[in-house]
């Protein structure tokens, strides 16, 4: 009996040690991934993407951690969407010899799952916050302490602002992944666009939903229109018609009009958003601008000399 008890305790100790080792390994992995994500830029992308591939992300749990952390950084830092999208493309291309015959790598499968979960999770959070705001408005006349009620409203508005930022970041990053062929056209048209266009409350779409649709069209419009003209045209027509709805505020109607004009301009924005650049690109751009100024200066000097010569010949 004592031998069996000792064996059982030894087994439990070994299991606890394995769990501790696994926990330590995953904690170290998270730290290494975060260190890379905090440093990665277009300029050092090649070096750090190789470092990411060398982190021995070789099982489902580790892949899930990598996807979660990259997605989270991308959503909260939209200025680096392109960089994080390129990192997903590099990670998604890696397969073990046993996985060569499969259509999607483990990373690509986990990324697809994350996009779906995050898309509908944000939708669920929006519903809860809208419900909370409605309850606060109803309670406004019943609450004796007006300061307490005002504090709850401000807290709800702050959460709503953070949620809106997350919604738009999620939608834009999903669009970036689609532009890089990491997500299919079907996911964009059916799972995202069609779903958003049917999210009507009291006969109309909420302002946040309209903003999400506008962000989606602005991100994927060029590629989506070329790949599925019929489905795109239907969705865009429904979106465009929202601009004639007088119940929307001027900000939303102008946003819709800007998206319509963006399409008319072949999806080329009038104002280019500032994006991270490589140091080499910055130097090249500086050299190009300097050269253009020198050419303009030379042309102005020649013109001035020719004018002086004409005046001299005239007299």
């Amino acid at each position: 009996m004592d031998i069996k008890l000792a064996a059982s305790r030894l087994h439990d100790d070994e299991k606890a040690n394995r769990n501790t080792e696994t926990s330590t390994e995953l904690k170290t992995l998270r730290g290494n991934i975060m260190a890379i994500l905090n440093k990665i830029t277009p300029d050092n992308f090649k070096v750090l993407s190789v470092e990411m591939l060398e982190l021995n992300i070789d099982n489902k749990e580790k892949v899930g951690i990598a996807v979660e952390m990259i997605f989270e950084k991308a959503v909260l830092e939209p200025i680096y969407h392109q960089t994080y999208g390129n990192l997903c493309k590099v990670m998604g291309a890696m397969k073990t010899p046993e996985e060569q015959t499969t259509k999607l790598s483990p990373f690509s499968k986990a990324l697809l799952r994350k996009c779906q979960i995050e898309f509908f999770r944000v939708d669920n959070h929006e519903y809860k916050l809208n419900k909370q705001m409605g309850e606060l408005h109803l309670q406004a006349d019943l609450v004796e302490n007006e300061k307490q009620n005002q504090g709850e409203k401000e807290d709800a508005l702050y959460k709503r602002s953070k949620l809106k930022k997350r919604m738009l970041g999620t939608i834009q990053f999903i669009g970036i992944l689609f532009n890089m062929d990491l997500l299919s056209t079907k996911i964009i048209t059916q799972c995202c666009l069609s779903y958003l266009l049917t999210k009507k409350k009291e006969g109309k779409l909420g302002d946040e939903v309209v903003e999400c649709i506008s962000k989606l069209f602005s991100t994927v419009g060029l590629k989506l229109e070329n790949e599925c003209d019929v489905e795109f045209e239907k969705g865009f027509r429904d979106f465009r018609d929202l601009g004639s709805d007088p119940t929307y505020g001027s900000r939303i109607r102008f946003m819709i009009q800007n998206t319509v004009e963006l399409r008319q301009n072949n999806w080329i924005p009038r104002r280019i958003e500032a994006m991270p650049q490589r140091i080499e690109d910055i130097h090249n751009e500086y050299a190009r601008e300097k050269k253009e100024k020198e050419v303009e200066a030379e042309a102005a000097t020649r013109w001035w000399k020719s004018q002086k010569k004409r005046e001299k010949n005239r007299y």
Side-chain angles (χ1 to χ4, degrees):
M1 188 69 179
D2 292 339
I3 295 176
K4 288 183 178 180
L5 182 60
S8 176
R9 287 178 177 174
L10 180 61
H11 175 73
D12 290 342
D13 290 343
E14 290 176 348
K15 185 176 180 180
N17 289 336
R18 284 197 299 271
N19 290 338
T20 302
E21 289 174 1
T22 302
S23 176
T24 303
E25 183 182 6
L26 295 180
K27 186 177 180 180
T28 301
L29 177 65
R30 283 182 178 275
N32 290 335
I33 292 176
M34 184 56 69
I36 291 173
L37 295 180
N38 285 339
K39 293 186 293 183
I40 198 165
T41 65
D43 201 49
N44 61 18
F45 178 81
K46 289 184 179 179
V47 174
L48 292 184
S49 60
V50 170
E51 286 187 21
M52 181 72 86
L53 294 173
E54 293 175 345
L55 290 180
N56 195 29
I57 303 174
D58 56 0
N59 61 42
K60 187 175 180 180
E61 190 172 11
K62 292 180 181 179
V63 168
I65 289 173
V67 168
E68 176 192 347
M69 295 183 71
I70 294 172
F71 199 96
E72 190 69 18
K73 288 284 283 184
V75 167
L76 297 179
E77 299 176 3
I79 193 172
Y80 287 104
H81 271 167
Q82 201 72 30
T83 302
Y84 293 129
N86 286 328
L87 184 59
C88 287
K89 192 163 189 174
V90 171
M91 298 287 288
M94 297 302 295
K95 294 181 181 179
T96 64
E98 294 79 14
E99 297 162 349
Q100 292 302 319
T101 56
T102 60
K103 186 176 181 180
L104 294 175
S105 67
F107 185 91
S108 296
K109 290 178 183 177
L111 181 63
L112 175 58
R113 216 162 33 242
K114 179 64 176 175
C115 289
Q116 294 171 330
I117 291 171
E118 197 64 32
F119 181 82
F120 290 107
R121 178 185 292 164
V122 168
D123 178 57
N124 185 46
H125 287 174
E126 182 205 12
Y127 169 77
K128 289 180 179 178
L129 281 178
N130 284 335
K131 185 179 179 181
Q132 182 184 3
M133 289 296 294
E135 291 173 351
L136 287 172
H137 285 304
L138 289 174
Q139 293 172 4
D141 297 330
L142 303 176
V143 176
E144 295 180 2
N145 189 344
E146 185 62 29
K147 288 185 178 180
Q148 178 183 347
N149 184 255
Q150 185 64 28
E152 291 177 351
K153 283 183 179 180
E154 290 176 357
D155 182 58
L157 288 172
Y158 173 71
K159 289 180 179 178
R160 190 185 188 92
S161 175
K162 285 184 66 177
L163 175 65
K164 177 181 172 181
K165 181 180 178 181
R166 188 173 189 86
M167 287 173 66
L168 295 175
T170 299
I171 288 293
Q172 188 174 6
F173 189 54
I174 287 175
I176 292 292
L177 295 176
F178 166 72
N179 287 340
M180 294 183 172
D181 297 319
L182 294 174
L183 296 178
S184 68
T185 303
K186 185 177 180 181
I187 290 176
I188 299 298
T189 55
Q190 297 183 17
C191 298
C192 294
L193 186 57
S194 297
Y195 176 78
L196 288 172
L197 285 168
T198 57
K199 273 178 55 62
K200 291 186 177 181
K201 296 174 183 177
E202 299 179 357
K204 63 176 286 188
L205 296 175
D207 288 0
E208 290 87 353
V209 177
V210 176
E211 286 190 64
C212 284
I213 298 172
S214 175
K215 179 66 72 175
L216 185 62
F217 274 127
S218 300
T219 306
V220 306
L222 180 61
K223 187 172 188 288
L224 192 64
E225 185 174 11
N226 290 333
E227 292 189 1
C228 53
D229 184 54
V230 176
E231 292 173 288
F232 172 88
E233 193 60 48
K234 181 182 181 304
F236 195 84
R237 184 173 61 249
D238 292 343
F239 170 73
R240 183 187 59 208
D241 292 345
L242 297 174
S244 59
D245 188 339
T247 61
Y248 287 111
S250 58
R251 185 180 70 87
I252 294 298
R253 294 202 303 273
F254 279 129
M255 181 184 297
I256 295 170
Q257 183 59 34
N258 286 340
T259 308
V260 172
E261 291 176 359
L262 180 64
R263 185 192 180 189
Q264 293 171 349
N265 197 36
N266 198 30
W267 303 104
I268 300 173
R270 288 179 295 180
R271 182 175 60 86
I272 304 297
E273 293 184 8
M275 299 296 289
Q277 290 180 292
R278 295 183 305 164
I279 294 176
E280 181 183 351
D281 295 334
I282 294 174
H283 285 278
N284 290 339
E285 184 176 349
Y286 173 78
R288 179 179 56 78
E289 291 178 354
K290 184 179 179 181
K291 183 68 175 176
E292 289 176 354
K293 289 179 180 179
E294 289 175 352
V295 171
E296 290 175 0
E298 289 176 5
T301 301
R302 286 197 300 271
W303 178 85
W304 182 79
K305 288 182 177 179
S306 65
Q307 290 295 105
K308 294 292 289 183
K309 188 175 181 180
R310 286 177 185 171
E311 291 180 4
K312 186 177 180 181
N313 292 335
R314 186 181 303 172
Y315 296 106

